[in-house]
Amino acid sequence: MASQISRSVIKKVLAIETPEGAGARVRRSIGTPALRNYTPFLMLDHFTIPRGAGFPDHPHRGQATFTYVIKGNTKHEDSKGHKGTLTEGGIQLMTAGKGVIHAEMPFWPTPDAPDPVGMQLWIDIPKDKKMMEPDYQEYSADQLPVARPFPSTTIKVLSGKSYGEESPVVPQGGCWYLHIQVDKANPEEAIFQEIPVGWTTFIYTMAGSIKVGDDPTVYPEFHTLVLTGDKEQNGIKISAVSDNTDYIVVAGMPLEQDVVQYGPFVMTSRAEIQQALMDYNYGRNGFEEAHSWTSEIGNV
């Protein structure tokens, strides 16, 4: 058995709540001036969608969006004919490829249903996949594996591997995404999550507090923790400091390519961004429905 050598925290970024979309609220860390150029990750939003809010029709090209609904329900619909509902614990990985227009809106199946809360991660994709046809991977909570390394600890494996469990979700380029919940903190029950060597890795704390590696520093909720990536470090040791601790661990294969972003268009050169804008304006090359399609769910 290989030695367990943990990564450590080299930077922390507080995710401050701000308005986004049409009335939604997000805590954003990756994608702000404090944390950019963090390949392959482009943006991380911890969202809450109250009644009357949402993310109506908008385009994408050249990246993937990984949506995880932690509480509540959302509906989605796009210009290629895809539509559906994400319920609590469900995920959708949408690879936009050459172009898609879509809407993501809250849904309350009963009057007392909670407002949707979740995470959306934007992931860059390899240059040779940026003009692929749009692709969807969508799974409900009961279709995703759960690891239980300790009685008080559950690890929902949204993508990648953890403690012998492997998700069916396969992102372009490579990305592991884990949701860890600890009901009762116990210093003897630290997890060690293996991570592919060389991958960019971060933790985002949603509730409670944690320690990372052997550092005594305590990291509270709503922080993104950037981790080291030395070649000998094969994972992360994480221990919950308080009861009801809730956090995600995400790792991705770095991409050796330029990132040129204009809103929801992510390419590798300015010329490609200009082409994306022209394609969208003229309704071609992936955006044929740009001026004729309107979602049924996008009116707020």
Side-chain angles (χ1 to χ4, degrees):
M1 181 177 178
S3 299
Q4 295 182 342
I5 303 176
S6 179
R7 298 183 182 214
S8 58
V9 177
I10 54 174
K11 183 177 183 177
K12 68 175 182 178
V13 177
L14 174 63
I16 300 171
E17 190 171 67
T18 59
E20 181 70 13
R25 303 191 309 274
V26 304
R27 291 183 179 274
R28 181 172 297 171
S29 50
I30 299 172
T32 66
L35 190 52
R36 291 189 187 277
N37 301 319
Y38 193 46
T39 179
F41 306 117
L42 302 164
M43 188 186 79
L44 178 69
D45 280 355
H46 183 185
F47 64 78
T48 301
I49 314 177
R51 292 180 184 271
F55 302 96
D57 304 7
H58 59 280
H60 286 278
R61 173 180 278 185
Q63 89 273 47
T65 61
F66 201 137
T67 304
Y68 174 37
V69 176
I70 298 169
K71 183 170 67 174
N73 306 269
T74 66
K75 286 182 176 290
H76 61 88
E77 182 184 352
D78 77 20
S79 57
K80 304 300 181 183
H82 301 100
K83 62 173 61 177
T85 301
L86 289 181
T87 57
E88 186 169 309
I91 69 96
Q92 182 202 74
L93 176 63
M94 181 189 79
T95 304
K98 66 192 225 178
V100 69
I101 306 161
H102 78 155
E104 300 161 294
M105 303 299 292
F107 169 59
W108 292 268
T110 61
D112 60 348
D115 290 343
V117 176
M119 306 294 300
Q120 187 169 87
L121 177 68
W122 287 17
I123 311 168
D124 198 11
I125 59 177
K127 180 179 174 64
D128 63 353
K129 301 294 184 182
K130 286 187 177 289
M131 295 301 288
M132 64 180 279
E133 293 294 328
D135 177 72
Y136 285 83
Q137 298 178 60
E138 189 168 317
Y139 292 88
S140 59
D142 60 2
Q143 295 174 310
L144 296 168
V146 177
R148 292 181 173 84
F150 301 106
S152 292
T153 303
T154 60
I155 303 176
K156 298 179 182 180
V157 188
L158 309 183
S159 67
K161 304 176 183 179
S162 183
Y163 285 88
E165 300 289 346
E166 183 170 0
S167 171
V169 180
V170 183
Q172 294 286 341
C175 175
W176 288 15
Y177 195 148
L178 311 166
H179 179 194
I180 297 93
Q181 296 171 295
V182 182
D183 297 332
K184 196 76 174 175
N186 183 337
E188 301 300 318
E189 295 184 351
I191 69 165
F192 186 87
Q193 173 60 47
E194 295 183 350
I195 298 292
V197 172
W199 278 25
T200 301
T201 308
F202 69 87
I203 300 169
Y204 176 73
T205 55
M206 293 184 284
S209 52
I210 62 172
K211 293 180 181 179
V212 180
D214 295 320
D215 188 335
T217 303
V218 175
Y219 297 100
E221 64 185 3
F222 306 138
H223 282 79
T224 293
L225 310 178
V226 178
L227 304 181
T228 55
D230 298 343
K231 290 182 179 180
E232 70 275 9
Q233 296 173 333
N234 56 358
I236 322 163
K237 177 185 175 183
I238 310 170
S239 56
V241 177
S242 54
D243 295 346
N244 301 313
T245 287
D246 204 354
Y247 61 96
I248 60 171
V249 174
V250 183
M253 184 178 70
L255 298 176
E256 295 182 359
Q257 60 190 37
D258 292 333
V259 176
V260 181
Q261 183 173 354
Y262 184 86
F265 302 145
V266 184
M267 304 302 287
T268 60
S269 70
R270 289 187 178 184
E272 289 172 336
I273 291 293
Q274 291 171 345
Q275 185 64 55
L277 291 168
M278 290 180 63
D279 288 343
Y280 181 70
N281 289 334
Y282 286 102
R284 65 192 187 195
N285 201 19
F287 293 119
E288 285 78 8
E289 304 87 358
H291 306 296
S292 60
W293 179 83
T294 302
S295 71
E296 296 177 359
I297 65 171
N299 296 319
V300 296

